[in-house]
Amino acid sequence: MMDAYSGTKYIYLHPGDFYFGDCHTRMRTLLGSCVSIMAWHPELKIGGMCHYVLPSRCGAGHVRPDGRYAEEAVTLLLNAIAAADTRPSQYRVRLAGGGSMFRSTCP
């Protein structure tokens, strides 16, 4: 969705989604047990966010990274950072989510 007045683009990320853009984009998501990584370059005003569900998937030989898995979501984020001709150390990074949604089976 685009706000015609401000030119701001609004993105809602579902589990497995990834987006990288500039300061004219507002990203949102809803987290429970999922996790989101957000990276922001304060000088260039670019950044991205991923919304992943699981730490990794079994097996090898996958053609493309799948944003549902942490290892691959991080790869997507690092690829976008490299494509922007920037370095990960230039970004402010935040991690959110991973809430305990189920009753623990541990005493």
Side-chain angles (χ1 to χ4, degrees):
M1 177 190 296
M2 177 77 86
D3 182 337
Y5 179 72
S6 67
T8 300
K9 183 178 180 179
Y10 292 91
I11 303 288
Y12 183 85
L13 281 89
H14 296 276
D17 285 349
F18 168 79
Y19 185 82
F20 193 90
D22 61 23
C23 64
H24 300 290
T25 304
R26 300 289 181 252
M27 296 172 276
R28 294 181 180 179
T29 195
L30 180 63
L31 300 170
S33 61
C34 296
V35 176
S36 184
I37 299 173
M38 297 136 300
W40 177 248
H41 193 295
E43 287 83 33
L44 297 179
K45 309 285 190 239
I46 59 174
M49 180 164 67
C50 61
H51 179 159
Y52 65 85
V53 182
L54 299 167
S56 62
R57 64 174 152 173
C58 298
H62 304 289
V63 178
R64 291 186 290 162
D66 186 333
R68 293 177 295 175
Y69 305 98
E71 293 175 345
E72 298 173 50
V74 170
T75 297
L76 290 169
L77 190 56
L78 291 173
N79 288 346
I81 287 170
D85 198 27
T86 57
R87 294 184 317 276
S89 63
Q90 297 171 312
Y91 288 76
R92 293 180 184 165
V93 179
R94 302 288 186 262
L95 183 72
S100 178
M101 304 234 353
F102 304 101
R103 199 171 147 176
S104 175
T105 58
C106 299

